[in-house]
Amino acid sequence: MDYAIIVAGGKGTRMGGDIPKQFLLLGGVPVLMHTVRRFHDCCPALKIILVLPKEQHQYWETLCRKYHFDVECQVADGGETRFHSIQNGLSLIPDNEQGVVGIHDGVRPFPSFRVIEDCYETARRCGAAVPVMPVVETIRHREGETSVTVPRNEYCMVQTPQTFDIQVHKQAYAQPYCKDFTDDASVVESLGHPVALVEGNRENIKITTPFDMVIAETLVRKKPR
């Protein structure tokens, strides 16, 4: 059985408002519903686990009734950090379960179906996979008060869903928390497990600022697949 853990713990502080960014309206519907629906429409058999701060559970239920949102999700409590939130989500997957689990940002509503499918299939073969995009801007490495240009073709931008064999991911998250764990791939790599790369899609933006919402409103009208 395959799973998707969708993590939505944002406070929305960079949006400049009181509503957490995952609940902001996008095309008249909360952002988080677009994200959940994306995975369900791509893979209807996928088991979806939604990780929300405990104090937001009731609000989510209210929104589901208001917008007649009927995609079935299990809801887990958010933790102190993203690492602990994902631990809580993984705890809802049976310990002996076989399959692939994808971890996805709740405020990335536009992963293409091709990216979702490729990530799951690559993780099935390789044990771990992440979608990436090439760096298109010149980048510089800071060295104290100075900086130096680095070859951008040696770097890439990482997206989600990041997908893993369930047993590999459970083993990775049995480790103690470390501040160097910046994403799921870094947690798995700490076990010495390689992570395969999958071509991402440019529309798969993470909504964190008002400008991102402007882009997202344009994308939702186009309904990218």
Side-chain angles (χ1 to χ4, degrees), residues 17-87:
D18 296 328
I19 300 176
K21 56 193 175 184
Q22 60 266 24
F23 299 136
L24 292 175
L25 295 186
L26 175 61
V29 178
V31 169
L32 186 55
M33 291 183 182
H34 287 279
T35 307
V36 172
R37 177 72 70 181
R38 198 88 177 145
F39 279 80
H40 173 75
D41 288 352
C42 180
C43 309
L46 201 63
K47 295 288 187 181
I48 298 176
I49 296 171
L50 183 58
V51 184
L52 284 171
K54 191 171 184 178
E55 64 271 18
Q56 294 179 5
H57 288 201
Q58 187 172 356
Y59 184 53
W60 170 249
E61 292 173 5
T62 300
L63 289 175
C64 288
R65 290 193 295 270
K66 179 177 179 179
Y67 293 95
H68 307 288
F69 188 73
D70 58 359
V71 175
E72 184 177 351
C73 301
Q74 288 181 278
V75 181
D77 292 344
E80 180 182 353
T81 67
R82 181 183 173 89
F83 177 90
H84 297 101
S85 292
I86 293 168
Q87 274 188 329

XYZ file of all heavy atoms in Angstrom, residues 17-87:
580
model
N -0.572 38.022 7.411
C -1.936 37.927 7.924
C -2.041 36.907 9.024
O -1.061 36.277 9.415
N -3.267 36.749 9.525
C -3.487 35.828 10.638
C -3.858 34.419 10.179
O -3.814 33.485 10.972
C -4.608 36.362 11.543
C -4.225 37.692 12.192
O -3.030 37.879 12.454
O -5.130 38.515 12.407
N -4.259 34.254 8.925
C -4.687 32.947 8.433
C -3.472 32.149 7.986
O -2.686 32.623 7.159
C -5.674 33.106 7.263
C -6.911 33.887 7.702
C -6.087 31.739 6.726
C -7.876 34.172 6.583
N -3.264 30.940 8.505
C -2.149 30.113 8.030
C -2.232 29.928 6.517
O -3.319 29.785 5.946
C -2.371 28.783 8.770
C -3.117 29.169 10.009
C -4.026 30.292 9.586
N -1.078 29.939 5.870
C -1.053 29.964 4.406
C -1.738 28.765 3.774
O -2.289 28.878 2.674
C 0.398 30.078 3.917
C 1.325 28.990 4.437
C 2.782 29.344 4.184
C 3.702 28.313 4.813
N 5.129 28.687 4.669
N -1.759 27.608 4.464
C -2.411 26.443 3.884
C -3.923 26.598 3.786
O -4.580 25.862 3.062
C -2.069 25.175 4.684
C -2.477 25.186 6.134
C -1.349 25.646 7.031
O -0.447 26.362 6.581
N -1.355 25.221 8.275
N -4.477 27.587 4.512
C -5.927 27.802 4.500
C -6.342 29.024 3.682
O -7.537 29.321 3.584
C -6.451 27.951 5.929
C -6.215 26.738 6.793
C -5.760 26.877 8.104
C -6.442 25.463 6.312
C -5.539 25.768 8.904
C -6.221 24.334 7.101
C -5.769 24.488 8.407
N -5.377 29.741 3.116
C -5.723 30.877 2.261
C -6.492 30.387 1.038
O -6.250 29.287 0.531
C -4.463 31.608 1.817
C -3.681 32.345 2.908
C -2.388 32.906 2.334
C -4.513 33.458 3.529
N -7.413 31.198 0.557
C -8.228 30.800 -0.588
C -7.447 30.972 -1.885
O -6.846 32.013 -2.145
C -9.515 31.606 -0.636
C -10.492 31.397 0.517
C -11.794 32.155 0.248
C -10.779 29.921 0.762
N -7.484 29.930 -2.694
C -6.844 29.904 -3.998
C -7.898 29.436 -4.998
O -8.370 28.301 -4.913
C -5.648 28.947 -3.980
C -4.932 28.697 -5.303
C -4.350 29.986 -5.863
C -3.821 27.656 -5.116
N -8.311 30.329 -5.902
C -9.400 29.978 -6.795
C -10.677 29.694 -6.032
O -11.498 28.870 -6.451
N -10.837 30.349 -4.879
C -12.049 30.195 -4.084
C -12.066 28.999 -3.156
O -13.068 28.752 -2.480
N -10.949 28.254 -3.078
C -10.851 27.040 -2.249
C -9.543 27.090 -1.469
O -8.528 27.553 -2.007
C -10.898 25.767 -3.135
C -10.741 24.508 -2.312
C -12.191 25.713 -3.937
N -9.507 26.631 -0.205
C -8.245 26.643 0.539
C -7.110 25.916 -0.189
O -7.324 24.872 -0.815
C -8.610 25.924 1.847
C -10.070 26.210 2.028
C -10.638 26.187 0.648
N -5.931 26.499 -0.104
C -4.744 25.936 -0.762
C -4.589 24.450 -0.459
O -4.337 23.627 -1.348
C -3.476 26.700 -0.315
C -2.213 25.960 -0.765
C -3.474 28.125 -0.861
N -4.738 24.080 0.800
C -4.499 22.697 1.219
C -5.430 21.724 0.511
O -5.035 20.580 0.218
C -4.656 22.586 2.740
C -4.317 21.245 3.379
C -2.907 20.796 3.007
C -4.445 21.345 4.901
N -6.638 22.143 0.219
C -7.567 21.248 -0.483
C -7.104 20.985 -1.909
O -7.262 19.870 -2.427
C -8.979 21.837 -0.461
C -9.600 21.829 0.917
S -11.291 22.458 0.910
C -11.662 22.342 2.679
N -6.536 21.995 -2.561
C -5.963 21.781 -3.890
C -4.865 20.718 -3.830
O -4.785 19.833 -4.695
C -5.356 23.080 -4.425
C -6.358 24.102 -4.852
N -6.989 24.079 -6.079
C -6.843 25.197 -4.217
C -7.811 25.107 -6.185
N -7.734 25.810 -5.065
N -4.019 20.817 -2.813
C -2.887 19.886 -2.695
C -3.364 18.465 -2.457
O -2.916 17.521 -3.128
C -1.959 20.333 -1.547
O -1.587 21.702 -1.735
C -0.719 19.462 -1.484
N -4.256 18.290 -1.503
C -4.779 16.947 -1.199
C -5.480 16.373 -2.431
O -5.286 15.203 -2.793
C -5.738 16.999 0.004
C -6.422 15.644 0.197
C -4.997 17.405 1.269
N -6.307 17.196 -3.082
C -7.046 16.734 -4.259
C -6.110 16.302 -5.372
O -6.377 15.354 -6.108
C -7.970 17.847 -4.738
C -8.746 17.547 -6.002
C -9.840 16.534 -5.777
N -10.924 17.083 -4.971
C -11.998 16.378 -4.611
N -12.094 15.094 -4.974
N -12.947 16.923 -3.885
N -4.979 16.988 -5.488
C -4.002 16.661 -6.538
C -3.533 15.215 -6.414
O -3.478 14.473 -7.397
C -2.815 17.605 -6.401
C -1.953 17.689 -7.623
C -2.488 18.755 -8.529
N -1.640 18.907 -9.679
C -2.115 19.209 -10.883
N -3.393 19.356 -11.052
N -1.308 19.356 -11.902
N -3.186 14.821 -5.196
C -2.694 13.463 -4.982
C -3.820 12.446 -5.162
O -3.616 11.378 -5.748
C -2.059 13.345 -3.591
C -0.648 13.856 -3.555
C -0.386 15.208 -3.472
C 0.430 12.982 -3.636
C 0.907 15.692 -3.463
C 1.733 13.449 -3.621
C 1.976 14.808 -3.543
N -4.994 12.777 -4.666
C -6.120 11.856 -4.800
C -6.487 11.651 -6.270
O -6.720 10.516 -6.710
C -7.327 12.390 -4.031
C -8.570 11.589 -4.246
N -8.764 10.349 -3.660
C -9.682 11.834 -5.004
C -9.942 9.872 -4.032
N -10.507 10.743 -4.851
N -6.542 12.737 -7.044
C -6.916 12.627 -8.449
C -5.863 11.868 -9.249
O -6.190 11.162 -10.207
C -7.131 14.016 -9.054
C -8.408 14.673 -8.550
O -9.196 13.994 -7.854
O -8.618 15.870 -8.851
N -4.602 12.039 -8.873
C -3.525 11.333 -9.566
C -3.534 9.841 -9.232
O -3.394 9.001 -10.120
C -2.177 11.947 -9.195
S -0.764 11.156 -9.988
N -3.714 9.528 -7.949
C -3.645 8.135 -7.472
C -4.786 7.895 -6.481
O -4.572 8.016 -5.260
C -2.305 7.862 -6.802
S -0.856 8.349 -7.775
N -5.985 7.573 -6.957
C -7.140 7.431 -6.059
C -6.955 6.389 -4.959
O -7.590 6.496 -3.903
C -8.273 7.039 -7.005
C -7.862 7.600 -8.338
C -6.368 7.458 -8.376
N -6.106 5.384 -5.182
C -5.905 4.339 -4.171
C -4.928 4.762 -3.074
O -4.767 4.052 -2.079
C -5.413 3.058 -4.840
N -4.281 5.905 -3.248
C -3.284 6.373 -2.291
C -3.931 6.684 -0.938
O -4.986 7.309 -0.879
C -2.640 7.631 -2.848
C -1.271 8.082 -2.339
C -0.196 7.059 -2.651
C -0.919 9.426 -2.999
N -3.307 6.233 0.141
C -3.767 6.576 1.484
C -3.132 7.907 1.880
O -1.900 8.032 1.871
C -3.368 5.496 2.488
C -4.032 4.145 2.259
C -5.508 4.183 2.616
C -6.131 2.793 2.543
N -7.570 2.825 2.859
N -3.952 8.879 2.204
C -3.446 10.217 2.491
C -3.498 10.506 3.988
O -4.531 10.317 4.635
C -4.252 11.288 1.723
C -4.088 11.067 0.216
C -3.795 12.695 2.112
C -4.916 12.011 -0.641
N -2.355 10.936 4.513
C -2.241 11.352 5.914
C -1.924 12.839 5.918
O -0.956 13.287 5.297
C -1.139 10.568 6.641
C -1.495 9.075 6.700
C -0.925 11.116 8.060
C -0.364 8.192 7.205
N -2.749 13.595 6.591
C -2.585 15.041 6.674
C -2.061 15.403 8.057
O -2.638 14.989 9.068
C -3.933 15.715 6.417
C -3.993 17.238 6.388
C -3.064 17.793 5.320
C -5.432 17.678 6.126
N -0.945 16.118 8.105
C -0.348 16.509 9.381
C -0.626 17.995 9.616
O -0.169 18.854 8.851
C 1.168 16.243 9.422
C 1.728 16.577 10.802
C 1.463 14.787 9.078
N -1.396 18.270 10.672
C -1.781 19.644 11.018
C -1.515 19.895 12.496
O -1.661 18.975 13.315
C -3.271 19.853 10.769
C -3.780 20.027 9.344
C -5.301 19.985 9.329
C -3.276 21.327 8.758
N -1.176 21.122 12.883
C -1.125 21.438 14.310
C -2.438 21.061 14.977
O -3.518 21.244 14.392
C -0.903 22.962 14.320
C -0.236 23.254 13.015
C -0.834 22.287 12.034
N -2.350 20.529 16.172
C -3.536 20.018 16.848
C -4.638 21.059 16.935
O -5.833 20.743 16.782
C -3.162 19.522 18.249
C -4.264 18.731 18.935
C -3.754 18.088 20.214
C -4.838 17.218 20.845
N -4.338 16.536 22.065
N -4.262 22.314 17.147
C -5.266 23.365 17.308
C -5.976 23.707 16.002
O -6.965 24.454 16.004
C -4.627 24.621 17.894
C -3.573 25.286 17.034
C -2.165 24.741 17.278
O -2.040 23.634 17.850
O -1.202 25.432 16.891
N -5.496 23.152 14.874
C -6.132 23.424 13.578
C -7.038 22.291 13.105
O -7.703 22.420 12.064
C -5.059 23.707 12.515
C -4.263 24.976 12.757
C -3.194 25.204 11.712
O -3.090 24.468 10.731
N -2.377 26.229 11.908
N -7.088 21.183 13.845
C -7.876 20.036 13.391
C -9.353 20.396 13.230
O -9.981 20.065 12.211
C -7.736 18.871 14.375
C -6.399 18.204 14.322
N -6.167 16.915 14.786
C -5.184 18.635 13.869
C -4.905 16.599 14.623
N -4.282 17.631 14.074
N -9.894 21.054 14.219
C -11.314 21.378 14.167
C -11.605 22.372 13.039
O -12.642 22.270 12.362
C -11.787 21.944 15.508
C -13.299 22.148 15.572
C -13.776 22.517 16.969
O -13.001 22.558 17.921
N -15.061 22.801 17.087
N -10.709 23.316 12.852
C -10.880 24.286 11.775
C -10.878 23.584 10.421
O -11.685 23.900 9.531
C -9.780 25.335 11.835
C -9.917 26.451 10.826
C -11.099 27.178 10.732
C -8.867 26.784 9.980
C -11.230 28.211 9.808
C -8.982 27.812 9.064
C -10.166 28.522 8.976
O -10.295 29.535 8.063
N -9.996 22.606 10.250
C -9.952 21.826 9.005
C -11.283 21.099 8.781
O -11.826 21.101 7.670
C -8.796 20.840 9.037
C -8.809 19.829 7.916
C -9.044 18.499 7.999
C -8.554 20.104 6.521
N -8.956 17.908 6.762
C -8.657 18.867 5.838
C -8.242 21.261 5.797
C -8.474 18.762 4.459
C -8.075 21.146 4.415
C -8.184 19.921 3.764
N -11.830 20.504 9.830
C -13.116 19.820 9.706
C -14.214 20.800 9.306
O -15.081 20.477 8.481
C -13.471 19.135 11.030
C -12.557 17.972 11.376
C -12.826 17.415 12.769
O -13.784 17.883 13.422
O -12.086 16.506 13.188
N -14.178 21.996 9.866
C -15.153 23.025 9.517
C -15.026 23.414 8.051
O -16.033 23.551 7.337
C -14.962 24.270 10.411
O -15.146 23.900 11.777
C -15.958 25.363 10.042
N -13.789 23.582 7.574
C -13.574 23.926 6.172
C -14.051 22.811 5.241
O -14.624 23.083 4.182
C -12.090 24.206 5.914
C -11.514 25.492 6.511
C -10.010 25.558 6.264
C -12.195 26.723 5.929
N -13.815 21.565 5.633
C -14.254 20.437 4.795
C -15.769 20.446 4.625
O -16.289 20.184 3.527
C -13.788 19.113 5.398
S -12.008 18.822 5.235
N -16.478 20.752 5.699
C -17.948 20.834 5.597
C -18.356 22.034 4.737
O -19.247 21.928 3.890
C -18.562 20.940 6.994
C -18.456 19.661 7.820
C -19.341 19.726 9.058
N -18.897 20.781 9.982
C -18.020 20.596 10.954
N -17.457 19.409 11.135
N -17.684 21.593 11.761
N -17.698 23.160 4.950
C -18.060 24.383 4.231
C -17.859 24.231 2.730
O -18.704 24.690 1.929
C -17.223 25.555 4.758
C -17.504 26.871 4.045
C -16.692 28.015 4.653
C -16.974 29.324 3.919
N -16.212 30.454 4.505
N -16.769 23.586 2.330
C -16.443 23.469 0.911
C -16.803 22.096 0.338
O -16.400 21.773 -0.786
C -14.956 23.778 0.688
C -14.621 25.224 0.962
C -14.142 25.624 2.213
C -14.815 26.201 -0.009
C -13.856 26.961 2.472
C -14.527 27.541 0.247
C -14.058 27.907 1.483
O -13.776 29.230 1.735
N -17.537 21.304 1.112
C -17.990 19.971 0.665
C -16.806 19.139 0.157
O -16.876 18.502 -0.900
C -19.059 20.112 -0.427
C -20.199 21.004 -0.033
N -21.150 20.634 0.910
C -20.531 22.275 -0.427
C -22.020 21.620 1.057
N -21.663 22.625 0.276
N -15.740 19.174 0.932
C -14.516 18.464 0.560
C -14.581 17.048 1.118
O -14.652 16.851 2.332
C -13.295 19.202 1.129
C -11.979 18.678 0.653
C -11.549 18.919 -0.649
C -11.155 17.961 1.505
C -10.330 18.445 -1.092
C -9.927 17.496 1.071
C -9.510 17.732 -0.228
N -14.549 16.056 0.230
C -14.830 14.685 0.661
C -13.687 13.704 0.429
O -13.888 12.488 0.489
C -16.092 14.168 -0.045
C -15.963 14.199 -1.568
O -14.904 14.646 -2.078
O -16.924 13.778 -2.246
N -12.470 14.206 0.156
C -11.331 13.297 0.013
C -10.974 12.765 1.400
O -10.725 13.534 2.329
C -10.113 14.000 -0.610
C -8.908 13.059 -0.643
C -10.447 14.480 -2.022
N -10.925 11.457 1.533
C -10.664 10.843 2.842
C -9.203 11.009 3.242
O -8.293 10.689 2.479
C -11.026 9.360 2.807
C -10.881 8.663 4.145
C -11.310 7.206 4.113
O -11.889 6.793 3.092
O -11.049 6.495 5.107
N -8.980 11.518 4.450
C -7.631 11.694 4.993
C -7.620 11.251 6.454
O -8.584 11.491 7.179
C -7.201 13.167 4.957
S -7.184 13.955 3.353
N -6.516 10.643 6.862
C -6.235 10.516 8.286
C -5.501 11.779 8.715
O -4.688 12.313 7.952
C -5.354 9.296 8.575
C -6.046 7.955 8.437
C -5.086 6.824 8.766
O -4.285 6.401 7.930
N -5.155 6.343 9.993
N -5.769 12.248 9.910
C -5.136 13.480 10.380
C -4.243 13.166 11.573
O -4.676 12.519 12.535
C -6.184 14.544 10.751
C -5.495 15.825 11.212
C -7.098 14.841 9.558
N -2.992 13.616 11.482
C -2.026 13.447 12.564
C -1.681 14.810 13.149
O -1.814 15.844 12.484
C -0.756 12.765 12.047
N -1.225 14.815 14.385
C -0.835 16.054 15.056
C 0.518 16.538 14.541
O 1.444 15.735 14.360
C -0.722 15.856 16.567
C -2.060 15.600 17.228
O -3.100 15.878 16.591
O -2.071 15.121 18.380
N 0.631 17.836 14.342
C 1.924 18.418 14.052
C 2.822 18.354 15.273
O 2.345 18.288 16.409
N 4.124 18.353 15.035
C 5.087 18.271 16.131
C 5.854 19.562 16.309
O 5.584 20.575 15.655
N 6.848 19.510 17.179
C 7.658 20.694 17.490
C 8.413 21.188 16.264
O 8.608 22.388 16.072
C 8.631 20.359 18.622
C 9.520 21.503 19.046
C 10.500 21.103 20.149
O 10.396 19.978 20.673
O 11.370 21.931 20.473
N 8.865 20.259 15.422
C 9.566 20.581 14.182
C 8.946 19.765 13.052
O 8.115 18.880 13.294
C 11.063 20.235 14.262
O 11.189 18.794 14.339
C 11.717 20.871 15.478
N 9.360 20.051 11.830
C 8.876 19.258 10.701
C 9.251 17.785 10.888
O 8.461 16.887 10.578
C 9.455 19.798 9.397
C 8.987 19.055 8.145
C 9.671 19.603 6.898
N 9.355 18.806 5.711
C 8.317 19.024 4.932
N 7.472 19.988 5.205
N 8.110 18.258 3.864
N 10.464 17.539 11.396
C 10.910 16.164 11.652
C 9.914 15.448 12.551
O 9.485 14.313 12.261
C 12.300 16.202 12.299
C 12.853 14.853 12.672
C 13.619 14.134 11.773
C 12.630 14.304 13.936
C 14.144 12.885 12.119
C 13.148 13.073 14.287
C 13.906 12.354 13.371
N 9.514 16.086 13.641
C 8.599 15.447 14.575
C 7.194 15.326 13.989
O 6.471 14.367 14.288
C 8.579 16.224 15.896
C 9.913 16.239 16.586
N 10.758 17.336 16.523
C 10.554 15.299 17.317
C 11.858 17.066 17.209
N 11.769 15.836 17.691
N 6.811 16.263 13.138
C 5.515 16.165 12.465
C 5.471 14.937 11.562
O 4.483 14.197 11.528
C 5.255 17.425 11.637
O 5.058 18.549 12.466
N 6.552 14.710 10.824
C 6.583 13.558 9.925
C 6.660 12.261 10.728
O 6.043 11.246 10.351
C 7.747 13.699 8.927
C 7.459 14.882 7.991
C 7.939 12.422 8.117
C 8.607 15.327 7.153
N 7.366 12.268 11.830
C 7.328 11.105 12.728
C 5.897 10.765 13.114
O 5.496 9.593 13.108
C 8.142 11.378 13.988
C 9.618 11.087 13.892
C 10.313 11.205 15.239
O 9.912 11.999 16.096
N 11.372 10.438 15.422
